[in-house]
């Protein structure tokens, strides 16, 4: 689309408005439990979780926050859980890229909700997949008891965090924990199972049972300091490695420890001097349609993301509803698989709809993914997919077997995969284009993303017919007005569930990002991925050919 046309300007205005809404949501989430709670911890001479991270990271660098929208609009009956009660992400400490996880004590005293455990596990997964050191800034009251059945017992619940502690230590991934506030019950195992444990005097405490529980259980009266204060653990139990009089001194010590670490082995991913795109990235706002059903040229998006707007296409005249090719992003050599949203014609004259994966495009992309693994090239997936083509013509052309080839190749890839959800991410198309289930190292969504098993209109009409059928069996007959009212309600609810913030609240995506920040997020993701040597050999399962 040519810049400054009427439609371009309309698209741009709509996208900037969308970004403004998400910016406001971010600002609200970043307040955590609210200004009153922040004032309360200030009276205890404590830094907030965000202040701790800001103090810790290297000056002149930025903190790449992940999972900010975790828990958004969830747990309303419990007062909410902004950011999942945890501030987490990737940053640089003493020049070393690392994962940071800080309990937000302004949110229910840092208690663990189900989404808190899920976010902790995701951060540990990122650390393990990319061999990044991880720093825990601990200040938590433990499991949120009203929801203990959803936090405590299952495989991917609270206990898995400590399992990962042990596995990471065995893998040689450094873990540093600083107890800066409460650390109670099972939560005490997290810092103790880290490689190094630091504590802050006065506010920091760590015990399996606090004074009230000890009194109830065995009748002993003891204060928090005697049970688990910094002095006790550093000089009597020997559990803590060092104690500090202030949070700042503790954080300074973490910086010193990080500065002692040896340079890690790397994956040897190809990297050259970066170059900005020749085409203006800000024009992305005007290219993405304000109506997600309208077509646009994905190549124009790619040209505004890759270095020097230079792209080497792969099989450009075959399987054209998927764009495949090579490029550099911030100097990193990558393969790109992207959904073309423009309608295209095959050499035989067949019209193919944009955003749909056809038998030929699936065949092409499967081979391209294999080539990237052969070359040890990371793969960037740009999703705007409505699904696989259906119908007798498509079935007879082998859409299932070719789609299965693509899914097989993506699932068995050994190179880093990074997924950006630009627009639609529907059904099996989400899987084939490396959705969350296919282990991308990182997955980000633009504000224009829509994630669901199918499009909103089709889903709403299907759900309406199911509801009408159910009521007919009960002898109920809906009037046309009631049918419309029900359809509107179903559409509203389903549309909300398709939004990127609904997905991000449940950690189906790692973060919602401004399209203009895409290059930066990919740069940091690939820098992280390069720190994990590729030790596996690439093998696929049995293909239907």
């Amino acid at each position: 689309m040519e810049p400054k046309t009427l439609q371009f300007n309309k698209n741009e205005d709509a996208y900037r408005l969308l970004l403004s809404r998400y910016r406001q949501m971010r600002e609200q989430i970043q307040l955590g439990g609210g200004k009153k709670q922040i004032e309360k911890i200030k009276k205890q001479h404590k830094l907030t979780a965000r202040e701790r991270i800001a103090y810790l990271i290297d000056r002149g660098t930025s903190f790449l926050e992940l999972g900010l929208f975790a828990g958004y609009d969830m747990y309303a009956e419990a007062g909410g859980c902004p950011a999942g009660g945890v501030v987490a992400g990737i940053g640089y400490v003493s020049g070393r890229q690392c994962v940071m996880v800080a309990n937000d004590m302004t949110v229910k005293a840092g208690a663990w909700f189900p989404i808190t455990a899920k976010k902790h596990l995701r951060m540990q997964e990122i650390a393990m997949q990319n061999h990044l050191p991880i720093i825990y800034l601990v200040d938590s009251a433990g499991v949120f008891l009203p929801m203990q059945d959803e936090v405590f017992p299952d495989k991917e619940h609270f206990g898995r965090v400590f399992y990962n502690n042990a596995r990471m230590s065995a893998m040689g991934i450094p873990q540093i924990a600083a107890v800066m506030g409460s650390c109670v019950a099972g939560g005490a195992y997290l810092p103790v199972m880290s490689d190094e444990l630091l504590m802050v005097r006065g506010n920091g405490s760590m015990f399996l049972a606090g004074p009230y529980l000890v009194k109830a259980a065995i009748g002993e009266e003891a204060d928090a300091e005697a049970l688990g204060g910094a002095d006790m653990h550093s000089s009597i139990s020997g559990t803590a490695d060092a104690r500090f009089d202030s949070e700042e001194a503790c954080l300074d010590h973490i910086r010193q420890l990080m500065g002692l670490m040896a340079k890690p082995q790397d994956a040897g991913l190809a990297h050259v001097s970066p170059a900005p795109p020749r085409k203006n990235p800000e024009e992305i706002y005007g290219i993405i349609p304000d109506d997600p059903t309208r077509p646009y040229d994905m190549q124009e998006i790619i040209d505004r993301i890759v270095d020097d707007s230079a792209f080497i296409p792969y099989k450009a005249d075959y399987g054209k509803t998927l764009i495949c090719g090579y490029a550099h992003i911030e100097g990193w050599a990558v393969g790109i698989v992207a959904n073309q949203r423009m309608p295209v014609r095959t050499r035989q004259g067949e019209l193919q709809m944009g955003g749909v994966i056809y038998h030929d495009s699936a065949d092409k992309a499967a081979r391209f993914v294999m080539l990237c693994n052969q070359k040890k090239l990371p793969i960037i997936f740009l999703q705007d997919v409505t699904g696989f083509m259906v119908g007798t013509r498509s079935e007879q052309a082998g859409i299932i077997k070719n789609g299965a080839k693509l899914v097989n190749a993506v699932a068995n890839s050994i190179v880093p995969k990074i997924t950006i959800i630009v627009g639609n991410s529907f059904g099996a198309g989400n899987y084939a284009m490396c959705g969350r289930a296919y282990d991308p190292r990182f997955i980000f969504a633009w504000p224009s993303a829509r994630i669901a098993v199918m499009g909103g209109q089709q889903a709403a009409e299907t759900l309406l017919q199911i509801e009408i059928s159910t009521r007919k069996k009960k002898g109920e007959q809906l009037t046309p007005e009631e049918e419309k009212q029900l359809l509107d309600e179903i559409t509203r609810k389903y549309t909300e569930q398709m939004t990127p913030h609904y997905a991000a609240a449940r950690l189906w995506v790692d973060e919602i990002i401004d399209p203009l920040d895409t290059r930066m997020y990919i740069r940091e993701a690939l820098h992280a991925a390069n720190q994990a040597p590729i030790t596996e050999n690439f093998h696929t399962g049995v293909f239907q050919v």
Side-chain angles (χ1 to χ4, degrees):
M1 178 179 293
E2 289 296 322
K4 306 312 175 187
T5 63
L6 183 61
Q7 187 59 52
F8 180 96
N9 291 337
K10 185 180 177 184
N11 293 344
E12 183 178 28
D13 289 346
Y15 215 103
R16 289 188 184 278
L17 180 60
L18 190 59
L19 283 169
S20 177
R21 289 174 185 160
Y22 275 99
R23 198 171 297 118
Q24 291 172 16
M25 291 162 69
R26 282 177 171 276
E27 290 171 357
Q28 184 61 41
I29 294 169
Q30 287 169 347
L31 289 174
K35 293 180 179 179
K36 286 186 178 180
Q37 288 298 319
I38 293 174
E39 290 171 5
K40 182 179 177 181
I41 68 162
K42 287 299 180 184
K43 290 177 181 177
Q44 300 171 23
H45 306 290
K46 294 168 73 171
L47 300 174
T48 66
R50 295 183 182 281
E51 288 171 339
R52 289 167 178 168
I53 290 173
Y55 185 93
L56 183 59
I57 63 173
D58 293 345
R59 304 297 171 262
T61 66
S62 56
F63 176 62
L64 198 74
E65 185 164 0
L66 301 174
L68 175 66
F69 285 84
Y72 184 79
D73 259 359
M74 296 169 67
Y75 315 118
E77 69 286 353
C81 187
V86 182
V87 181
I90 294 175
Y92 291 85
V93 178
S94 296
R96 184 73 180 266
Q97 192 182 38
C98 59
V99 175
M100 284 171 268
V101 181
N103 296 110
D104 186 349
M105 74 299 295
T106 70
V107 180
K108 293 288 188 294
W112 287 59
F113 283 70
I115 198 66
T116 313
K118 188 173 184 179
K119 186 169 175 178
H120 264 83
L121 291 172
R122 175 58 184 148
M123 293 304 117
Q124 289 182 321
E125 181 181 45
I126 289 171
M128 287 189 283
Q129 287 180 334
N130 301 288
H131 290 198
L132 295 179
I134 184 166
I135 298 168
Y136 307 100
L137 304 179
V138 184
D139 196 340
S140 171
V143 169
F144 184 61
L145 288 178
M147 304 187 78
Q148 63 85 25
D149 61 319
E150 299 178 55
V151 181
F152 169 68
D154 210 347
K155 181 179 178 180
E156 299 298 327
H157 283 177
F158 194 44
R160 192 72 175 187
V161 172
F162 317 132
Y163 173 90
N164 286 345
N165 284 142
R167 295 296 304 140
M168 282 191 283
S169 187
M171 292 169 66
I173 296 172
Q175 300 174 85
I176 300 172
V179 178
M180 299 180 150
S182 297
C183 186
V184 183
Y189 285 108
L190 185 149
V192 174
M193 295 189 71
S194 297
D195 300 325
E196 303 202 50
L197 195 170
L198 317 175
M199 294 187 71
V200 177
R201 299 178 76 178
N203 286 322
S205 60
M206 180 176 63
F207 34 64
L208 294 181
Y212 295 116
L213 184 54
V214 167
K215 172 72 172 176
I218 63 173
E220 179 185 356
E221 293 190 4
D223 60 24
E225 177 58 39
L227 280 170
D231 288 335
M232 190 281 287
H233 277 307
S234 61
S235 62
I236 300 177
S237 76
T239 304
D241 298 311
R243 65 185 179 192
F244 303 90
D245 291 328
S246 69
E247 293 190 11
E248 290 84 355
C250 182
L251 295 169
D252 287 338
H253 189 74
I254 293 175
R255 294 177 57 79
Q256 290 178 321
L257 293 175
M258 291 293 296
L260 298 173
M261 293 181 187
K263 182 181 178 182
Q265 291 182 306
D266 61 41
L269 302 180
H271 188 267
V272 298
S273 297
R278 281 184 292 107
K279 294 186 178 181
N280 184 3
E282 287 199 16
E283 291 172 354
I284 290 174
Y285 296 154
I287 294 170
I288 301 293
D290 60 338
D291 178 353
T293 65
R294 294 173 63 89
Y296 65 91
D297 189 352
M298 180 61 86
Q299 186 64 54
E300 294 295 329
I301 301 295
I302 294 171
D303 291 345
R304 287 159 176 81
I305 293 175
V306 302
D307 289 6
D308 199 38
S309 300
F311 181 75
I312 304 170
Y314 173 77
K315 292 185 186 288
D317 296 324
Y318 176 72
K320 292 189 283 186
T321 64
L322 278 176
I323 299 171
C324 299
Y326 308 105
H328 288 86
I329 298 178
E330 290 285 357
W332 294 100
V334 298
I336 294 175
V337 180
N339 299 106
Q340 173 58 282
R341 281 299 308 275
M342 293 292 290
V344 299
R345 284 195 181 275
T346 67
R347 185 66 179 268
Q348 291 79 19
E350 178 191 355
L351 180 66
Q352 295 183 337
M353 295 182 290
V356 179
I357 300 175
Y358 285 76
H359 67 280
D360 53 353
S361 51
D363 178 57
K364 174 176 84 171
R367 183 170 174 82
F368 181 73
V369 167
M370 290 190 285
L371 282 172
C372 288
N373 278 271
Q374 186 86 342
K375 295 179 171 71
K376 297 296 187 290
L377 273 179
I379 307 172
I380 310 299
F381 291 86
L382 300 177
Q383 285 195 16
D384 194 340
V385 57
T386 53
F388 285 86
M389 190 57 190
V390 297
T392 54
R393 186 171 184 175
S394 183
E395 298 290 359
Q396 291 170 11
I399 185 61
I400 295 177
K401 70 177 182 180
N402 285 351
K405 280 196 290 189
L406 176 55
V407 169
N408 192 318
V410 172
N412 284 297
S413 285
I414 59 170
V415 296
K417 306 185 293 280
I418 298 168
T419 301
I420 311 291
I421 304 179
V422 173
N424 301 315
S425 180
F426 295 163
N430 170 282
Y431 303 157
M433 292 295 291
C434 199
R436 172 63 88 202
Y438 286 77
D439 269 352
R441 294 288 182 93
F442 298 90
I443 179 168
F444 305 115
W446 287 3
S448 46
R450 300 196 308 160
I451 304 162
V453 72
M454 65 176 72
Q457 182 179 350
Q458 305 97 302
E461 290 176 355
T462 301
L463 290 168
L464 176 64
Q465 292 307 313
I466 293 171
E467 182 65 23
I468 290 173
S469 176
T470 301
R471 295 196 181 195
K472 278 184 178 179
K473 290 176 182 177
K474 296 178 181 179
E476 300 175 14
Q477 185 70 38
L478 293 177
T479 65
E481 292 77 15
E482 288 173 330
E483 280 191 24
K484 183 181 183 306
Q485 186 178 2
L486 185 57
L487 178 62
D488 289 345
E489 175 58 24
I490 292 171
T491 302
R492 183 200 62 76
K493 184 176 179 180
Y494 193 86
T495 300
E496 172 61 23
Q497 292 176 353
M498 293 169 64
T499 61
H501 56 265
Y502 188 90
R506 290 150 182 82
L507 293 173
W508 301 343
V509 298
D510 291 318
E511 194 55 70
I512 302 171
I513 66 172
D514 185 328
L516 299 190
D517 292 333
T518 301
R519 282 171 53 83
M520 181 267 288
Y521 273 85
I522 291 175
R523 178 192 71 208
E524 293 304 314
L526 289 176
H527 186 270
N530 194 43
Q531 296 184 53
I534 299 172
T535 56
E536 293 181 75
N537 293 320
F538 176 61
H539 299 289
T540 62
V542 177
F543 274 0
Q544 288 277 1
V545 295

